[in-house]
């Protein structure tokens, strides 16, 4: 089997290329081609001999995608990409322009097995984990297509990153490698539905990204009814793990809360959410739920949202409303993929 060299650290690449009978410094050149210049072919690697390029072609492959579809929002320029992987799997990534730079939202799995009731990514279950190179390539492919430099990455597309833990760690180390894409770790956010032992392991990795917890409910019973994973981890245990993450990394936690009409947007819930997070160095990201055809959750009206925000504010909870980007382009996680899977 050919080697997935785009998923290898420079040190691993050195060992691999030595096994091919080459000098280790060739690995540094190769690494720079893969992650610095983001090469799409061996032929463009002009400082490697023709002979070595031939050898590489025989022994390795370069992860690459075809763009199956691209939808650009007329409202805000947000782009949603549907990529086809080498094995035919489809994944989505989103390109967003902000005042602070360019942000890409990547998928960590093809599909998802977490089963959140409001989410489209999980409708067809988990197809498979993505490799580190497939996570990187979502960013590289978008940079090539848009000719823009990506500054921020959010691992908030389809999939549960901590259900694909090893590959996600590998991805984070590669994307932030200064000899490679050199993305600032401070500009990366990883979002999880709350797998406690993985949150703790992640804190121990010493990769200081922003961690976002998909909370969506301030109490156990309601959270369980929305997110099957909550049956496995009690809410106080999840929050305690997030507190430990903050203690270890000093990165302010983000709590995501998708407002669903008549479900989790009452005054009572706003008070409970405030009590849960009171005194924490935390930020609440409110997201009006993106209605998914197969699900019957609706976005609350402006008045209800404003009332919810006001209560958080009164209680001194730091909260912002997420900009809803790309509503006209199947913006929510997994929407485009599930629509195309249905059509084909
Ligand atoms: N599995 C991870 C990351 C992917 S989902 C997680 O659960 O955090 C990224 C965020 O979008 C999560 O907070 C998720 O709950 C939320 N989300 C999923 N479907 C949504 C929808 N229809 N409307 C609004 N937010 C949604």
């Amino acid at each position: 089997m050919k080697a997935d060299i785009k998923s290898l650290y420079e040190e691993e690449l050195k060992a691999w290329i030595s096994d091919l009978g080459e000098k280790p410094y060739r690995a540094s050149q190769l690494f720079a081609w893969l992650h610095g210049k983001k090469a799409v072919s061996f032929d463009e690697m002009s400082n490697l001999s023709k002979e070595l390029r031939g050898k590489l072609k025989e022994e390795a492959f370069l992860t690459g995608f075809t763009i199956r579809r691209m939808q650009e929002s007329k409202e805000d320029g947000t782009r949603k990409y549907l990529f086809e992987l080498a094995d035919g799997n489809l994944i989505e990534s989103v390109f967003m322009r902000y005042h602070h730079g360019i942000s890409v939202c990547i998928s960590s799995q093809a599909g998802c097995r977490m089963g959140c009731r409001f989410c489209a990514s999980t409708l067809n279950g988990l197809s498979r984990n993505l490799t580190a190179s497939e996570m990187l390539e979502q960013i590289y492919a978008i940079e090539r297509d848009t000719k823009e430099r990506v500054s921020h990455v959010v691992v908030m597309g389809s999939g549960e990153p901590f259900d694909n833990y090893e590959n996600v760690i590998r991805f984070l180390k590669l994307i932030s490698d200064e000899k490679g894409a050199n993305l600032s770790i401070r500009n990366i956010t990883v979002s999880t539905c709350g797998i406690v032992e993985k949150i703790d392991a992640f804190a121990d990795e010493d990769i200081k990204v922003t961690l976002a917890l998909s909370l969506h409910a301030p109490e156990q019973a309601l959270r369980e009814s929305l997110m099957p994973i909550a049956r496995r981890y009690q809410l106080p245990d999840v929050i305690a793990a997030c507190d430990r993450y903050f203690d270890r990394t000093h990165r302010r936690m983000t709590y995501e809360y998708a407002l669903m009409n008549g479900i989790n947007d009452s005054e009572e819930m706003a008070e409970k959410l405030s009590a849960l997070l009171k005194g924490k160095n935390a930020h609440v990201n409110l997201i009006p739920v993106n209605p998914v055809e197969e699900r019957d959750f609706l976005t609350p009206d402006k008045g209800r949202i404003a009332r919810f925000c006001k209560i958080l504010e009164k209680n001194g909870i730091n909260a912002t409303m997420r900009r809803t980007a790309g509503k006209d382009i199947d913006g929510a996680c997994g929407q485009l993929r599930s629509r195309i899977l249905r059509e084909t």
Side-chain angles (χ1 to χ4, degrees), residues 22 32 38 44 135 172:
E22 298 289 330
K38 293 156 192 170
E44 67 193 271
M135 287 181 250
L172 293 172

Side-chain angles (χ1 to χ4, degrees), residues 37 81 132 227 288:
K37 302 189 192 78
Y81 286 86
M227 305 172 71

Side-chain angles (χ1 to χ4, degrees), residues 13 36 51 63 153 175 188 254 280 310 325:
L13 213 46
E51 192 204 334
T63 297
V153 170
I175 193 75
I188 302 176
T254 295
K280 293 190 195 303
K310 233 187 182 129

